[in-house]
Amino acid sequence: MANFTFQDFQRLSADPDAYSALRAESKYIQSSPKIISLPCRLQFVRNVKGYFYLGFIVFTWAYNTYIVPEIILLPQYSEGNIGLVPVLCYYAVSLLTVVALFRSVTGDPGRLPFDLKPTSHDQLNWTHCQRCLIQRPLKSHHCSKCQRCVRKMDHHCHWINNCVAEDNQWLFILLVLYAAILSVYTLVLDTLHFYYLPACQTCDSTSFIVKHQRYFMYVSFVLGIILTSLAGTQVLQQTINIITNLSTIESIIHARKPIHERPAVIPRSAYDSFREVCGPGPILWWFNPFRRHSAKPEIYYYQHTV
């Protein structure tokens, strides 16, 4: 979507019919919120399609977190075939994954309030939204799923039923990173279970899980492949976006334009790009999904919006 400047808004206001239609749409959007407010400043998006995608991710995490230790790790550890470290590492990565998932789903990605006004410093760099008619900073985008304008929006992700934007992009990166590690770890353990590790001698052969463990492991392997593909693709995509200082939406829109019509990107180091997304502190601190993300002191961007 192209920039909708204050001058465009004034010209549109001169057409009573068009302006009335926009005002009606804006009033509907503001009176029909799709954001459910939860305790502790948590939020959740009303989106039936997102429920199914998110449900699949939660099911995949819960299934592998229970089945893989139950069939492979804990029996092999109890019989002395593996040490305690692989068991603890699997549970640790699983915990980091679900924490990043929960915070990505319920966190505010940077939604703009309907009564937001620019400061004198930002006024010349803000635009008007054609849907909800609010003033917004550059690089903001109106999400059709959330029906809200979001700061520095990257994309709306159905897998987390939420937008990925300025305030939660770092959590989304941790989510796909830990999900990729967990799924690869699962695939390795599944392969070892089929071809290398000895069969459990002390397991109850009458147990339903033990009796049908081969089928449970087949499902685990398929889910691992699916999650590895999804998470690995997003890790690569988000890394490219951060280094090039472009969002997914901007990359799609700019790809349709000739090179000479694309906005210039200010060159900077990869470290500075990741630091802007992940926040200050040492690099190892960026991998902590429990931390609080430092808020930006100002809303101001030096690049064109979409």
Side-chain angles (χ1 to χ4, degrees):
M1 184 180 296
N3 283 351
F4 189 62
T5 63
F6 183 71
Q7 290 75 17
D8 296 330
F9 181 76
Q10 287 181 320
R11 285 193 294 269
L12 183 62
S13 301
D15 186 343
D17 294 335
Y19 183 70
S20 297
L22 279 180
R23 291 292 297 176
E25 183 182 16
S26 172
K27 185 177 180 180
Y28 172 77
I29 290 174
Q30 297 187 27
S31 61
S32 304
K34 288 197 172 183
I35 310 300
I36 304 173
S37 297
L38 303 175
C40 302
R41 296 186 297 178
L42 302 180
Q43 301 179 354
F44 193 74
V45 180
R46 289 192 181 118
N47 186 350
V48 176
K49 184 178 180 180
Y51 298 161
F52 286 101
Y53 282 88
L54 177 60
F56 174 78
I57 295 299
V58 173
F59 169 77
T60 301
W61 170 83
Y63 183 90
N64 282 333
T65 300
Y66 175 75
I67 290 297
V68 172
E70 184 71 17
I71 294 180
I72 303 176
L73 292 173
L74 296 180
Q76 295 295 331
Y77 171 71
S78 64
E79 295 185 354
N81 297 321
I82 62 174
L84 182 61
V85 173
V87 181
L88 296 179
C89 285
Y90 193 86
Y91 280 120
V93 176
S94 179
L95 175 63
L96 293 172
T97 302
V98 75
V99 169
L101 174 63
F102 177 79
R103 296 192 64 186
S104 298
V105 171
T106 59
D108 182 0
R111 297 185 179 95
L112 297 170
F114 292 119
D115 58 351
L116 181 67
K117 301 295 182 182
T119 64
S120 58
H121 176 69
D122 290 326
Q123 192 167 13
L124 295 177
N125 301 290
W126 284 36
T127 61
H128 278 75
C129 175
Q130 299 184 49
R131 300 293 304 281
C132 51
L133 297 184
I134 69 168
Q135 298 182 75
R136 62 187 188 183
L138 294 177
K139 295 178 76 69
S140 300
H141 186 79
H142 185 90
C143 177
S144 60
K145 305 298 185 301
C146 302
Q147 293 293 357
R148 293 287 293 274
C149 282
V150 185
R151 293 195 322 271
K152 227 176 176 185
M153 178 177 168
D154 186 82
H155 69 288
H156 183 92
C157 181
H158 289 294
W159 298 105
I160 64 172
N161 192 37
N162 202 359
C163 289
V164 177
E166 183 174 42
D167 289 350
N168 72 341
Q169 188 178 15
W170 68 280
L171 279 168
F172 182 74
I173 295 171
L174 291 183
L175 168 62
V176 294
L177 175 63
Y178 289 132
I181 295 174
L182 183 64
S183 55
V184 170
Y185 198 172
T186 298
L187 291 176
V188 171
L189 290 174
D190 290 347
T191 304
L192 292 177
H193 174 74
F194 285 129
Y195 298 107
Y196 179 75
L197 294 174
C200 179
Q201 303 298 323
T202 59
C203 295
D204 183 7
S205 58
T206 62
S207 170
F208 179 81
I209 292 181
V210 175
K211 187 183 300 184
H212 301 89
Q213 61 177 301
R214 177 174 294 274
Y215 302 104
F216 283 111
M217 297 312 298
Y218 286 156
V219 175
S220 173
F221 192 83
V222 172
L223 292 177
I225 292 177
I226 295 174
L227 194 59
T228 300
S229 303
L230 294 174
T233 301
Q234 280 300 316
V235 169
L236 179 61
Q237 181 64 56
Q238 290 297 312
T239 301
I240 294 174
N241 288 350
I242 293 174
I243 293 177
T244 58
N245 194 27
L246 289 173
S247 67
T248 299
I249 295 175
E250 290 173 327
S251 299
I252 294 174
I253 294 179
H254 294 168
R256 304 170 185 169
K257 299 179 180 180
I259 296 179
H260 65 276
E261 293 183 6
R262 300 175 187 176
V265 178
I266 300 176
R268 57 182 177 178
S269 67
Y271 172 79
D272 290 336
S273 298
F274 275 97
R275 189 174 186 274
E276 180 180 339
V277 173
C278 300
I283 294 179
L284 289 179
W285 186 244
W286 295 350
F287 295 90
N288 177 15
F290 296 93
R291 65 185 173 92
R292 296 184 61 183
H293 190 261
S294 302
K296 301 291 190 302
E298 295 182 57
I299 303 176
Y300 185 74
Y301 307 109
Y302 294 90
Q303 191 174 334
H304 295 294
T305 186
V306 293

